[in-house]
Amino acid sequence: MTKKQIALSAVEALKKEYPEAICTLVYHDPLHLLIATRLAAQCTDARVNMVTPALFERFPTAYDFAQATEEEVAEYIKSCGLFKTKSRDIVALSKIIVEKYDGQVPDSLDELIKLPGIGRKTANLVMGDVYGKPAVVVDTHCIRITRRLGLHEQKDAKKIEFELRELLPPEESNDFCHRLVLHGRAVCDARKPKCEECCMKDFCKRRI
């Protein structure tokens, strides 16, 4: 099978296995997803989801975050780890969103990655989930599973993103990445993958 054929087979297999391709972070608007994803760095989505309700109740908009101090924001996110860096980024990016974008999260990947603390993974998540644009969210599950499938031999997330963009149907790419997260947690574990239970075992390069 070619890489393209494997990619298309993976899309269909995961779609059947995980019909609901949803982001596991809870959010209500673009800013909330942007901030929640920043908080999720080196932290579980479950922990972030415990922290964000109180955080967003206290600071519901970019204007509220922009007027806050880093110390005020930090008090709400301490359990997420790296809270000083994250609070600094949240306040700084909110100020830019207010000053440059009238309080609205930009819908361009190039603009999003200019925001403090926002990399391509977060930007792609916002582009795909909020704005419905083709996106490839390259997280640890995506890197591991797509390499095992034989879709690439890269380690650099940006290179992986561009390779996958060439292989995946644009309209499927965002949901595909969400399903990889679900599959990585349930089956394709980093240390002990349950290959016999895998819906992609018939064409996975790790098995062949």
Side-chain angles (χ1 to χ4, degrees):
M1 295 176 73
T2 65
K3 288 183 179 181
K4 187 78 169 182
Q5 290 171 327
I6 292 172
L8 294 176
S9 296
V11 166
E12 293 307 313
L14 290 172
K15 190 185 294 187
K16 188 177 297 183
E17 191 77 6
Y18 309 97
E20 298 295 324
I22 57 173
C23 178
T24 51
L25 290 168
V26 177
Y27 66 95
H28 302 290
D29 61 42
L31 179 71
H32 289 182
L33 178 58
L34 188 70
I35 290 175
T37 309
R38 179 67 189 93
L39 292 175
Q42 298 185 39
C43 180
T44 65
D45 289 359
R47 167 57 58 183
V48 173
N49 289 338
M50 292 172 64
V51 166
T52 49
L55 177 69
F56 295 143
E57 182 177 357
R58 173 63 182 83
F59 308 105
T61 70
Y63 296 93
D64 297 303
F65 277 111
Q67 293 172 1
T69 65
E70 295 174 19
E71 291 74 20
E72 286 176 312
V73 174
E75 285 299 314
Y76 288 85
I77 65 172
K78 281 185 175 180
S79 63
C80 290
L82 303 175
F83 64 91
K84 291 184 179 179
T85 301
K86 292 176 181 179
S87 61
R88 181 192 65 207
D89 288 343
I90 290 169
V91 172
L93 70 83
S94 296
K95 287 180 178 178
I96 294 173
I97 289 173
V98 167
E99 294 167 3
K100 190 173 180 180
Y101 303 105
D102 296 321
Q104 302 301 311
V105 174
D107 62 355
S108 158
L109 190 144
D110 289 338
E111 294 301 310
L112 284 167
I113 60 176
K114 293 177 184 177
L115 297 173
I118 303 304
R120 296 188 68 86
K121 182 178 77 171
T122 299
N124 269 292
L125 183 62
V126 172
M127 292 294 292
D129 273 37
V130 175
Y131 296 117
K133 298 184 178 183
V136 177
V137 181
V138 181
D139 67 354
T140 182
H141 298 291
C142 176
I143 293 171
R144 179 176 71 256
I145 298 172
T146 53
R147 183 185 293 128
R148 285 174 173 174
L149 286 169
L151 298 181
H152 64 83
E153 295 181 358
Q154 303 287 352
K155 293 184 179 179
D156 180 77
K158 185 176 180 180
K159 291 179 179 178
I160 293 170
E161 177 193 329
F162 284 116
E163 288 205 27
L164 292 179
R165 284 184 184 275
E166 293 295 318
L167 298 172
L168 296 168
E171 70 278 8
E172 298 282 1
S173 59
N174 192 57
D175 285 349
F176 176 75
C177 293
H178 282 319
R179 291 182 174 113
L180 287 178
V181 174
L182 298 174
H183 191 64
R185 290 173 178 168
V187 178
C188 198
D189 182 81
R191 295 175 181 172
K192 293 183 178 180
K194 304 170 186 174
C195 294
E196 292 303 323
E197 300 176 19
C198 182
C199 60
M200 299 183 287
K201 63 183 179 182
D202 291 340
F203 54 84
C204 179
K205 292 294 186 181
R206 189 178 190 275
R207 293 268 302 168
I208 297 172

